[in-house]
Amino acid sequence: MTASRISLSPRVALVTGAGQGLGRAHALALARHGAIVAVNDLSCEDAQSVAQEIVGSGGQAMACPANVADPDSVNAMIDSVMTRYGRIDILVNNAGILRDRTFAKSTIEDFRAVIDVNLMGSVHCTHAVWNLMRERQYGRIVFTTSSSGLYGNFGQANYSAAKMGLVGLMQTLAIEGKRHGIHVNCLAPSAATGMTSGLYDSGDLARLGSGMVAPAVVALCAQEAPTRAIILAGAGRFAQAHVTMTRGTYLNGEQDIAAAVLSHMDRIGDRDGDHVPASGPEQHQMEVAGLKHFANVPLI
Ligand SMILES: NC(=O)c1ccc[n+]([C@@H]2O[C@H](COP(=O)([O-])OP(=O)(O)OC[C@H]3O[C@@H](n4cnc5c(N)ncnc54)[C@H](O)[C@@H]3O)[C@@H](O)[C@H]2O)c1
């Protein structure tokens, strides 16, 4: 099936950390699909250069340098975009940093710096546009998570915590935003950028261009975008991650329930019939629903 081309005109998109790497590719791709793009970066020079690139190709863009870790800086940036364009329909939270070290060698300062940019930076930007989007009953928000958050990676405890925090943020904002036309999704990219230099095999670099990830962002920013999805994108492959719940098992009849938990780990973790709950409360609803089969349930 051939998909029809997505038009993002006349949407206004703000992309953070768009001065280089993936953010730059996202900004260029959104502009190619007709969006007006506010190009954020910590580096004023890089933000201006990307905005000029978009304008030079016939698009509309403005540079809005700001530090996403600083709420005052973010609020001033949002004000400048609103003054210029009067609306923000799309927010791509892309800005990110690394402070890789094993947990044993890491410092609390490094941990906080990574949380401040990757997690709180996204919170600041999203909080600043949330009510603007609610007023217009329309919004598309993307959080940039990572396979390191979803699945872990040696030396990246701080980054993993920040990136998985974004998944939790997305899960709840997708639920809260749905009735207001705000769709919220996560992207877990892989691309050869400044951040990942030296990480990927040199033979794979040509296949790992940021431009291979950007179409996922365009899709997640479209009118038809899903909500509450975690999309994995790299080298032209698109996949989806799910936070699932297994069917589980009741151990109420066991003499030593703690010991039974360990001896039944295969049944507890059996993925046959697992599912993605619509929201957190489904956990206890399922737990309680199954209880009626047991007469003697210990209350403590
Ligand atoms: N490249 C990958 O394979 C990969 C994998 C998983 C996740 N990610 C995530 O994708 C995003 C983009 O990564 P990238 O590889 O393009 O990195 P990059 O280092 O090439 O680009 C990051 C950009 O963010 C900007 N930035 C950093 N701190 C900022 C701040 N406080 N305020 C505003 N801008 C700031 C930088 O100036 C830079 O332009 C990040 O969130 C990263 O964690 C990347």
Side-chain angles (χ1 to χ4, degrees):
M1 192 178 85
T2 311
S4 59
R5 188 173 165 78
I6 289 168
S7 171
L8 298 175
S9 175
R11 303 287 180 203
V12 175
L14 168 61
V15 185
T16 69
Q20 53 176 297
L22 281 159
R24 174 177 168 273
H26 300 338
L28 296 176
L30 292 169
R32 275 199 304 277
H33 283 265
I36 297 166
V37 185
V39 181
N40 160 265
D41 205 278
L42 202 50
S43 157
C44 185
E45 206 183 328
D46 287 352
Q48 277 171 348
S49 151
V50 173
Q52 278 161 13
E53 204 176 338
I54 292 171
V55 173
S57 316
Q60 290 186 69
M62 70 180 278
C64 47
N67 176 4
V68 297
D70 173 7
D72 292 339
S73 177
V74 167
N75 288 335
M77 167 177 74
I78 300 300
D79 284 350
S80 71
V81 179
M82 289 300 288
T83 302
R84 175 93 177 254
Y85 298 126
R87 57 198 277 185
I88 298 172
D89 308 291
I90 293 168
L91 169 63
V92 180
N93 289 292
N94 167 80
I97 59 165
L98 297 177
R99 292 279 191 282
D100 291 358
R101 267 176 176 266
T102 59
F103 196 58
K105 291 181 181 158
S106 69
T107 64
I108 293 299
E109 288 71 27
D110 278 349
F111 212 103
R112 215 181 288 281
V114 168
I115 297 284
D116 279 349
V117 176
N118 292 276
L119 177 58
M120 291 312 296
S122 300
V123 171
H124 297 149
C125 295
T126 304
H127 195 256
V129 302
W130 189 254
N131 283 337
L132 300 173
M133 289 181 171
R134 271 174 50 122
E135 278 163 24
R136 297 183 66 86
Q137 293 288 293
Y138 187 90
R140 297 289 178 268
I141 297 174
V142 178
F143 293 118
T144 308
T145 183
S146 166
S147 57
S148 302
L150 294 167
Y151 310 115
N153 196 20
F154 190 90
Q156 292 198 310
N158 49 27
Y159 185 73
S160 303
K163 292 302 193 185
M164 201 55 183
L166 291 169
V167 174
L169 182 62
M170 179 275 289
Q171 298 277 16
T172 289
L173 291 188
I175 292 168
E176 292 187 9
K178 203 166 182 182
R179 75 182 78 155
H180 303 291
I182 306 173
H183 293 199
V184 191
N185 294 287
C186 277
L187 170 76
S190 53
T193 64
M195 179 178 278
T196 54
S197 78
L199 208 73
Y200 297 122
D201 288 349
S202 53
D204 292 337
L205 292 183
R207 299 191 196 99
L208 285 168
S210 295
M212 304 294 271
V213 175
V217 167
V218 173
L220 295 177
C221 295
Q223 170 100 24
E224 307 78 4
T227 193
R228 214 170 154 246
I230 306 166
I231 299 298
L232 286 54
R237 172 182 179 264
F238 300 91
Q240 186 168 355
H242 297 284
V243 183
T244 66
M245 186 191 289
T246 64
R247 286 188 304 159
T249 187
Y250 287 88
L251 300 171
N252 309 43
E254 301 281 343
Q255 278 293 321
D256 182 342
I257 295 181
V261 168
L262 295 182
S263 61
H264 289 95
M265 277 308 291
D266 52 345
R267 251 163 67 192
I268 291 170
D270 183 0
R271 298 200 50 204
D272 186 26
D274 66 0
H275 91 129
V276 181
S279 69
E282 252 188 52
Q283 177 185 334
H284 77 257
Q285 284 160 8
M286 289 179 74
E287 289 161 350
V288 172
L291 266 183
K292 57 179 179 280
H293 302 300
F294 297 93
N296 301 313
V297 179
L299 291 177
I300 53 165

